[in-house]
Amino acid sequence: MCVRASASQSEQRMRWRRILPAGVMTLTGYGIFVYGASGFIAPVEEQAPMLSHSIVPYCATLRSLVFAAFNLLFGKAMLRSASPRTLVLIGTGSFGVGIATTAASVAVAPSHALLLLGFGVATGVGSGLVYMSIFTPTLAWFADRKGLVAGVLRARP
């Protein structure tokens, strides 16, 4: 009985060590997601003055809607069909493709459609997949302390 209790305590200590990388990933992703739009407006206006100045807020709004859709509508189903690690890799790739598409839509061939597709859709999908893939399993690991863990994962500097 004592051996089993110490193994359980050891497992509980190990799970707290897992929260640090998950917290760092969500803080980084969330910081890029939330604060990235404000740092994005001025360079777009400088690099591609032919793009409408009103398109950038639409990109941020579209990105937020896609982010919410992937978290709320598809999150649980996707986690049942694939592992969190796989979804984080797919989300990271999607985010990278979105940033590359955004850069191409500004620097190479200025296009409203590419800007909406890259910064709006692809980065929203990537952010949503990564966030959901980290947040949901971490809350499941800490079923007894969901509020604390959710606060640690959502805390911002």
Side-chain angles (χ1 to χ4, degrees):
M1 184 106 175
C2 291
V3 173
R4 190 173 225 186
S6 66
S8 176
Q9 289 174 351
S10 173
E11 288 173 6
Q12 285 190 0
R13 275 190 231 119
M14 287 301 294
R15 72 181 182 158
W16 284 105
R17 290 182 188 156
R18 292 178 186 160
I19 198 171
L20 181 63
V24 168
M25 286 179 73
T26 56
L27 286 175
T28 303
Y30 195 74
I32 290 170
F33 179 76
V34 171
Y35 303 116
S38 61
F40 173 71
I41 294 170
V44 168
E45 291 175 350
E46 287 175 15
Q47 293 292 321
M50 66 285 301
L51 290 175
S52 170
H53 296 295
S54 64
I55 193 73
V56 177
Y58 288 119
C59 292
T61 302
L62 180 62
R63 182 184 59 168
S64 295
L65 290 173
V66 171
F67 176 84
F70 265 81
N71 278 312
L72 299 174
L73 301 177
F74 308 118
K76 296 267 185 191
M78 293 181 87
L79 278 171
R80 278 189 228 115
S81 64
S83 73
R85 182 176 294 162
T86 302
L87 292 176
V88 166
L89 290 174
I90 292 169
T92 303
S94 175
F95 191 85
V97 166
I99 295 298
T101 304
T102 302
S105 73
V106 172
V108 179
S111 165
H112 289 99
L114 276 178
L115 191 62
L116 286 169
L117 182 68
F119 194 71
V121 176
T123 60
V125 168
S127 298
L129 283 174
V130 171
Y131 185 80
M132 176 259 318
S133 299
I134 292 171
F135 207 82
T136 305
T138 304
L139 288 180
W141 289 341
F142 296 92
D144 58 330
R145 304 251 185 199
K146 281 186 179 183
L148 175 65
V149 171
V152 169
L153 289 177
R154 292 280 300 167
R156 292 188 287 264

